[in-house]
Amino acid sequence: MTVESIVFYLFAALTVLGAVGVITVRNAVQAVLCLVLTFFSAAVLWMLLEAEFLAVTLVLVYVGAVMVLFLFVVMMLDVDYASLKSGFTRYLPLGILVALALFGAIYWVIRSEVLGEMPEPAKHSAEYSNVTVLGKLLYTEYFYAFEVAGVILLVAIVAAISLTFRGRRDRRGQSVPVQHQASREERLRVVSMESGPRQDAHLRKETDVKSKRKRKTKTKAKKKGDEA
Amino acid sequence: MLDIIIDFFIIGTKIGLILLPLILAVAYTTYAERKIIGYMQMRVGPNRVGPKGWLQPIADVIKLLMKEVVVPSGANKGLFLLAPILFIAPSFAAWAVIPFDAELVLANSDVGLLYILAMTSIAVYGVIIAGWASNSKYALIGSLRSASQIISYEIAMGFALVGVLMASGSMNLGQIVQGQEGGFWHWYWIPLLPLLVIYWISGVAETNRAPFDLPEGESEIVAGFHVEYAGISFALFFLAEYANMILISVLTALFFFGGWLNPFQGIPFVEDITGWVPGMAWLLLKAGFFLFLMIWLRATFPRYRYDQIMRLGWKVFIPVTVVWLMILTFMIKAGVGPWFSGRGVF
């Protein structure tokens, strides 16, 4: 029993547990979190295979971005869980059939001889860097496939935006570029006021200490012109 | 079996040696923040507990530990208590790959940079779950804001780090620092200046700090995603926020300001008299500067409006990073300056 095998069995169990949780828990938010757990423990399993680049990318892309958006949507939905379960018995036979067919297909692919005793994956030396090896392969041997994948992703992004962006123009949003163009001239008017005694000067109470102090030092005639 | 236990013990000790000072640093960052903002606003800040208020963070911790953890009615209890743990775990885990000196690193990983990005990106689950499990409108609004904000700024942050990656040719944090060897003018902050600015501002936005503190928004949604939390569960959110602040500051020092390297390298006389300073001291000094900057930002700027935040992230930062990555490509291929000499092809 090495440390690796302890970690492997722990996280393999967590992966399966999470996957079972996705389809059995009642609440949709909890189901999404179970899926996150599955991804995360799968990433740990990849890490054990010394595929650290793939493992970290799995966490970064799927756990850190895709599932967050998923959770975002599920959280906002108001799902009636009772109505979701209504057709359960009716579709159960079909479900079992599909599950059996899928299991059979998987079993047929990974024959019985593979399912028996599995050799432990070969360890690499300390200098082995998964990132370097992957990068060299991707940018030399599989360069065109890599570029094509990139272009497909770009097309998918543009398509997704153009499909979902309705371009509503009647909403009440502030347009920041327009706000930036506002200049002082159109917002602010500097008015030069004629100085002189206020029309209501005799009605105002003189409570301000500062103005009282001023009054002492200034002459009576000038006091009238003061702001009071 | 015995050597496994010894291994675990050694690794555990190393983790403790990183985490305990970190938690202490977090406690005194809160003190520093209150003091600095206090002086910036012409107040004195906390000055009652201990000499000059030095024991204030300890008093705060004891107070938070003694308080009752209230679970609101209608809340999803399990997830409600899980959320603070999910928030704080990644912000501590990210410290595993941080090199404090040339040889002083817990996990010398070749995907260190990606690992940091992955860890900071999964911290958002804590926020989202906290908001959802609280069964409160304000908390939900706060967590939705936080999720969209963190995802938006993560892209700009990732692009800025692509620049670092291109400049250093490695994702290993130690090698990124070693690529900047040679003194103040050899660090990456000059060729990557726009990326540094974008990384720094995105970092502030990622940690939900002012002026990007919409997820909390005390004046509109009370305290956002952690409005229902009290006592130790609130303290964990608080702890994680400050741990993230320190992390972002340390990362900025590592990526753009030569990490543990002496800034006077290559200057004949000064280099010799500062030679005794340990690398970790330089790193902490640089990180401390950025930490101060973060607190300064909070004291200076008013909160952004939501649409302004989204515009800044998507329409300003991402295009600027893409353009600068192209310029950087030419700079590297032309072997510009002391940074990329020897890598030019022209």
PDB file of all heavy atoms in Angstrom, chain B residues 258-279:
ATOM      1  N   GLY B 258      10.227  40.700  -9.889  1.00  0.00           N
ATOM      2  CA  GLY B 258      11.408  39.936  -9.512  1.00  0.00           C
ATOM      3  C   GLY B 258      11.364  39.191  -8.201  1.00  0.00           C
ATOM      4  O   GLY B 258      12.409  38.813  -7.685  1.00  0.00           O
ATOM      5  N   GLY B 259      10.196  38.967  -7.654  1.00  0.00           N
ATOM      6  CA  GLY B 259      10.049  38.111  -6.470  1.00  0.00           C
ATOM      7  C   GLY B 259      11.065  38.368  -5.384  1.00  0.00           C
ATOM      8  O   GLY B 259      11.138  39.457  -4.832  1.00  0.00           O
ATOM      9  N   TRP B 260      11.893  37.351  -5.112  1.00  0.00           N
ATOM     10  CA  TRP B 260      12.844  37.449  -4.013  1.00  0.00           C
ATOM     11  C   TRP B 260      14.153  38.140  -4.419  1.00  0.00           C
ATOM     12  O   TRP B 260      15.065  38.247  -3.618  1.00  0.00           O
ATOM     13  CB  TRP B 260      13.155  36.065  -3.468  1.00  0.00           C
ATOM     14  CG  TRP B 260      13.840  35.180  -4.469  1.00  0.00           C
ATOM     15  CD1 TRP B 260      15.159  35.220  -4.800  1.00  0.00           C
ATOM     16  CD2 TRP B 260      13.259  34.172  -5.281  1.00  0.00           C
ATOM     17  NE1 TRP B 260      15.430  34.294  -5.769  1.00  0.00           N
ATOM     18  CE2 TRP B 260      14.280  33.629  -6.079  1.00  0.00           C
ATOM     19  CE3 TRP B 260      11.952  33.666  -5.411  1.00  0.00           C
ATOM     20  CZ2 TRP B 260      14.041  32.623  -7.001  1.00  0.00           C
ATOM     21  CZ3 TRP B 260      11.716  32.660  -6.319  1.00  0.00           C
ATOM     22  CH2 TRP B 260      12.760  32.153  -7.106  1.00  0.00           C
ATOM     23  N   LEU B 261      14.261  38.576  -5.687  1.00  0.00           N
ATOM     24  CA  LEU B 261      15.527  39.121  -6.170  1.00  0.00           C
ATOM     25  C   LEU B 261      15.810  40.501  -5.580  1.00  0.00           C
ATOM     26  O   LEU B 261      14.907  41.285  -5.327  1.00  0.00           O
ATOM     27  CB  LEU B 261      15.502  39.216  -7.699  1.00  0.00           C
ATOM     28  CG  LEU B 261      15.364  37.905  -8.447  1.00  0.00           C
ATOM     29  CD1 LEU B 261      15.207  38.163  -9.927  1.00  0.00           C
ATOM     30  CD2 LEU B 261      16.557  37.017  -8.195  1.00  0.00           C
ATOM     31  N   ASN B 262      17.097  40.769  -5.394  1.00  0.00           N
ATOM     32  CA  ASN B 262      17.551  42.047  -4.878  1.00  0.00           C
ATOM     33  C   ASN B 262      17.389  43.116  -5.957  1.00  0.00           C
ATOM     34  O   ASN B 262      17.876  42.947  -7.066  1.00  0.00           O
ATOM     35  CB  ASN B 262      19.029  41.905  -4.493  1.00  0.00           C
ATOM     36  CG  ASN B 262      19.563  43.117  -3.804  1.00  0.00           C
ATOM     37  OD1 ASN B 262      19.011  44.205  -3.915  1.00  0.00           O
ATOM     38  ND2 ASN B 262      20.649  42.924  -3.080  1.00  0.00           N
ATOM     39  N   PRO B 263      16.696  44.230  -5.668  1.00  0.00           N
ATOM     40  CA  PRO B 263      16.505  45.252  -6.711  1.00  0.00           C
ATOM     41  C   PRO B 263      17.789  45.952  -7.101  1.00  0.00           C
ATOM     42  O   PRO B 263      17.857  46.591  -8.146  1.00  0.00           O
ATOM     43  CB  PRO B 263      15.518  46.231  -6.068  1.00  0.00           C
ATOM     44  CG  PRO B 263      15.595  45.977  -4.618  1.00  0.00           C
ATOM     45  CD  PRO B 263      15.969  44.542  -4.438  1.00  0.00           C
ATOM     46  N   PHE B 264      18.840  45.847  -6.261  1.00  0.00           N
ATOM     47  CA  PHE B 264      20.082  46.570  -6.548  1.00  0.00           C
ATOM     48  C   PHE B 264      21.097  45.700  -7.267  1.00  0.00           C
ATOM     49  O   PHE B 264      22.267  46.073  -7.354  1.00  0.00           O
ATOM     50  CB  PHE B 264      20.682  47.098  -5.253  1.00  0.00           C
ATOM     51  CG  PHE B 264      19.739  47.977  -4.497  1.00  0.00           C
ATOM     52  CD1 PHE B 264      19.256  47.596  -3.267  1.00  0.00           C
ATOM     53  CD2 PHE B 264      19.301  49.172  -5.054  1.00  0.00           C
ATOM     54  CE1 PHE B 264      18.366  48.402  -2.584  1.00  0.00           C
ATOM     55  CE2 PHE B 264      18.414  49.977  -4.367  1.00  0.00           C
ATOM     56  CZ  PHE B 264      17.945  49.594  -3.130  1.00  0.00           C
ATOM     57  N   GLN B 265      20.655  44.558  -7.783  1.00  0.00           N
ATOM     58  CA  GLN B 265      21.570  43.674  -8.496  1.00  0.00           C
ATOM     59  C   GLN B 265      22.229  44.420  -9.644  1.00  0.00           C
ATOM     60  O   GLN B 265      21.555  45.126 -10.398  1.00  0.00           O
ATOM     61  CB  GLN B 265      20.796  42.494  -9.071  1.00  0.00           C
ATOM     62  CG  GLN B 265      21.164  41.184  -8.436  1.00  0.00           C
ATOM     63  CD  GLN B 265      20.296  40.074  -8.949  1.00  0.00           C
ATOM     64  OE1 GLN B 265      19.353  40.284  -9.696  1.00  0.00           O
ATOM     65  NE2 GLN B 265      20.610  38.866  -8.560  1.00  0.00           N
ATOM     66  N   GLY B 266      23.537  44.274  -9.776  1.00  0.00           N
ATOM     67  CA  GLY B 266      24.225  44.894 -10.898  1.00  0.00           C
ATOM     68  C   GLY B 266      24.706  46.299 -10.621  1.00  0.00           C
ATOM     69  O   GLY B 266      25.468  46.856 -11.400  1.00  0.00           O
ATOM     70  N   ILE B 267      24.271  46.903  -9.517  1.00  0.00           N
ATOM     71  CA  ILE B 267      24.790  48.230  -9.147  1.00  0.00           C
ATOM     72  C   ILE B 267      25.965  47.985  -8.210  1.00  0.00           C
ATOM     73  O   ILE B 267      25.779  47.415  -7.138  1.00  0.00           O
ATOM     74  CB  ILE B 267      23.709  49.070  -8.449  1.00  0.00           C
ATOM     75  CG1 ILE B 267      22.469  49.162  -9.352  1.00  0.00           C
ATOM     76  CG2 ILE B 267      24.232  50.457  -8.124  1.00  0.00           C
ATOM     77  CD1 ILE B 267      21.284  49.810  -8.702  1.00  0.00           C
ATOM     78  N   PRO B 268      27.188  48.367  -8.594  1.00  0.00           N
ATOM     79  CA  PRO B 268      28.403  47.890  -7.924  1.00  0.00           C
ATOM     80  C   PRO B 268      28.409  47.986  -6.399  1.00  0.00           C
ATOM     81  O   PRO B 268      28.561  46.980  -5.725  1.00  0.00           O
ATOM     82  CB  PRO B 268      29.495  48.797  -8.530  1.00  0.00           C
ATOM     83  CG  PRO B 268      28.947  49.239  -9.822  1.00  0.00           C
ATOM     84  CD  PRO B 268      27.456  49.273  -9.697  1.00  0.00           C
ATOM     85  N   PHE B 269      28.228  49.184  -5.863  1.00  0.00           N
ATOM     86  CA  PHE B 269      28.434  49.348  -4.433  1.00  0.00           C
ATOM     87  C   PHE B 269      27.215  48.894  -3.615  1.00  0.00           C
ATOM     88  O   PHE B 269      27.333  48.145  -2.637  1.00  0.00           O
ATOM     89  CB  PHE B 269      28.760  50.814  -4.140  1.00  0.00           C
ATOM     90  CG  PHE B 269      28.996  51.092  -2.693  1.00  0.00           C
ATOM     91  CD1 PHE B 269      30.071  50.503  -2.022  1.00  0.00           C
ATOM     92  CD2 PHE B 269      28.143  51.918  -1.983  1.00  0.00           C
ATOM     93  CE1 PHE B 269      30.283  50.743  -0.690  1.00  0.00           C
ATOM     94  CE2 PHE B 269      28.348  52.163  -0.640  1.00  0.00           C
ATOM     95  CZ  PHE B 269      29.425  51.573   0.003  1.00  0.00           C
ATOM     96  N   VAL B 270      26.029  49.312  -4.063  1.00  0.00           N
ATOM     97  CA  VAL B 270      24.812  49.046  -3.295  1.00  0.00           C
ATOM     98  C   VAL B 270      24.529  47.548  -3.215  1.00  0.00           C
ATOM     99  O   VAL B 270      24.017  47.051  -2.213  1.00  0.00           O
ATOM    100  CB  VAL B 270      23.603  49.783  -3.918  1.00  0.00           C
ATOM    101  CG1 VAL B 270      22.433  49.791  -2.970  1.00  0.00           C
ATOM    102  CG2 VAL B 270      23.979  51.200  -4.308  1.00  0.00           C
ATOM    103  N   GLU B 271      24.884  46.836  -4.282  1.00  0.00           N
ATOM    104  CA  GLU B 271      24.619  45.400  -4.288  1.00  0.00           C
ATOM    105  C   GLU B 271      25.352  44.706  -3.150  1.00  0.00           C
ATOM    106  O   GLU B 271      24.810  43.811  -2.505  1.00  0.00           O
ATOM    107  CB  GLU B 271      25.019  44.790  -5.630  1.00  0.00           C
ATOM    108  CG  GLU B 271      24.553  43.355  -5.762  1.00  0.00           C
ATOM    109  CD  GLU B 271      25.100  42.673  -6.995  1.00  0.00           C
ATOM    110  OE1 GLU B 271      25.853  43.305  -7.750  1.00  0.00           O
ATOM    111  OE2 GLU B 271      24.778  41.494  -7.181  1.00  0.00           O
ATOM    112  N   ASP B 272      26.599  45.157  -2.913  1.00  0.00           N
ATOM    113  CA  ASP B 272      27.402  44.510  -1.871  1.00  0.00           C
ATOM    114  C   ASP B 272      26.846  44.767  -0.478  1.00  0.00           C
ATOM    115  O   ASP B 272      26.766  43.860   0.347  1.00  0.00           O
ATOM    116  CB  ASP B 272      28.855  45.017  -1.958  1.00  0.00           C
ATOM    117  CG  ASP B 272      29.489  44.600  -3.271  1.00  0.00           C
ATOM    118  OD1 ASP B 272      29.054  43.551  -3.798  1.00  0.00           O
ATOM    119  OD2 ASP B 272      30.382  45.309  -3.769  1.00  0.00           O
ATOM    120  N   ILE B 273      26.436  46.015  -0.216  1.00  0.00           N
ATOM    121  CA  ILE B 273      25.988  46.295   1.154  1.00  0.00           C
ATOM    122  C   ILE B 273      24.572  45.775   1.415  1.00  0.00           C
ATOM    123  O   ILE B 273      24.164  45.652   2.556  1.00  0.00           O
ATOM    124  CB  ILE B 273      26.069  47.802   1.510  1.00  0.00           C
ATOM    125  CG1 ILE B 273      25.296  48.645   0.493  1.00  0.00           C
ATOM    126  CG2 ILE B 273      27.499  48.272   1.637  1.00  0.00           C
ATOM    127  CD1 ILE B 273      25.131  50.089   0.946  1.00  0.00           C
ATOM    128  N   THR B 274      23.813  45.433   0.352  1.00  0.00           N
ATOM    129  CA  THR B 274      22.485  44.857   0.595  1.00  0.00           C
ATOM    130  C   THR B 274      22.498  43.351   0.384  1.00  0.00           C
ATOM    131  O   THR B 274      21.459  42.713   0.404  1.00  0.00           O
ATOM    132  CB  THR B 274      21.427  45.487  -0.328  1.00  0.00           C
ATOM    133  OG1 THR B 274      21.881  45.346  -1.674  1.00  0.00           O
ATOM    134  CG2 THR B 274      21.186  46.939   0.004  1.00  0.00           C
ATOM    135  N   GLY B 275      23.711  42.791   0.179  1.00  0.00           N
ATOM    136  CA  GLY B 275      23.798  41.368  -0.129  1.00  0.00           C
ATOM    137  C   GLY B 275      23.314  40.463   0.988  1.00  0.00           C
ATOM    138  O   GLY B 275      22.862  39.357   0.747  1.00  0.00           O
ATOM    139  N   TRP B 276      23.387  40.965   2.245  1.00  0.00           N
ATOM    140  CA  TRP B 276      23.023  40.111   3.379  1.00  0.00           C
ATOM    141  C   TRP B 276      21.504  39.967   3.535  1.00  0.00           C
ATOM    142  O   TRP B 276      21.052  39.082   4.248  1.00  0.00           O
ATOM    143  CB  TRP B 276      23.598  40.712   4.668  1.00  0.00           C
ATOM    144  CG  TRP B 276      23.147  42.118   4.899  1.00  0.00           C
ATOM    145  CD1 TRP B 276      23.728  43.243   4.432  1.00  0.00           C
ATOM    146  CD2 TRP B 276      21.988  42.527   5.620  1.00  0.00           C
ATOM    147  NE1 TRP B 276      23.014  44.351   4.812  1.00  0.00           N
ATOM    148  CE2 TRP B 276      21.938  43.933   5.546  1.00  0.00           C
ATOM    149  CE3 TRP B 276      20.981  41.843   6.327  1.00  0.00           C
ATOM    150  CZ2 TRP B 276      20.922  44.679   6.140  1.00  0.00           C
ATOM    151  CZ3 TRP B 276      19.981  42.589   6.923  1.00  0.00           C
ATOM    152  CH2 TRP B 276      19.945  43.992   6.827  1.00  0.00           C
ATOM    153  N   VAL B 277      20.728  40.841   2.869  1.00  0.00           N
ATOM    154  CA  VAL B 277      19.270  40.789   3.053  1.00  0.00           C
ATOM    155  C   VAL B 277      18.728  39.498   2.450  1.00  0.00           C
ATOM    156  O   VAL B 277      18.991  39.209   1.284  1.00  0.00           O
ATOM    157  CB  VAL B 277      18.603  42.002   2.376  1.00  0.00           C
ATOM    158  CG1 VAL B 277      17.100  41.958   2.566  1.00  0.00           C
ATOM    159  CG2 VAL B 277      19.165  43.291   2.927  1.00  0.00           C
ATOM    160  N   PRO B 278      18.017  38.694   3.216  1.00  0.00           N
ATOM    161  CA  PRO B 278      17.487  37.444   2.655  1.00  0.00           C
ATOM    162  C   PRO B 278      16.433  37.723   1.582  1.00  0.00           C
ATOM    163  O   PRO B 278      15.745  38.756   1.627  1.00  0.00           O
ATOM    164  CB  PRO B 278      16.866  36.747   3.867  1.00  0.00           C
ATOM    165  CG  PRO B 278      16.616  37.820   4.855  1.00  0.00           C
ATOM    166  CD  PRO B 278      17.662  38.858   4.631  1.00  0.00           C
ATOM    167  N   GLY B 279      16.324  36.776   0.621  1.00  0.00           N
ATOM    168  CA  GLY B 279      15.401  36.961  -0.483  1.00  0.00           C
ATOM    169  C   GLY B 279      13.963  37.142  -0.031  1.00  0.00           C
ATOM    170  O   GLY B 279      13.206  37.911  -0.609  1.00  0.00           O
TER     171      GLY B 279
END
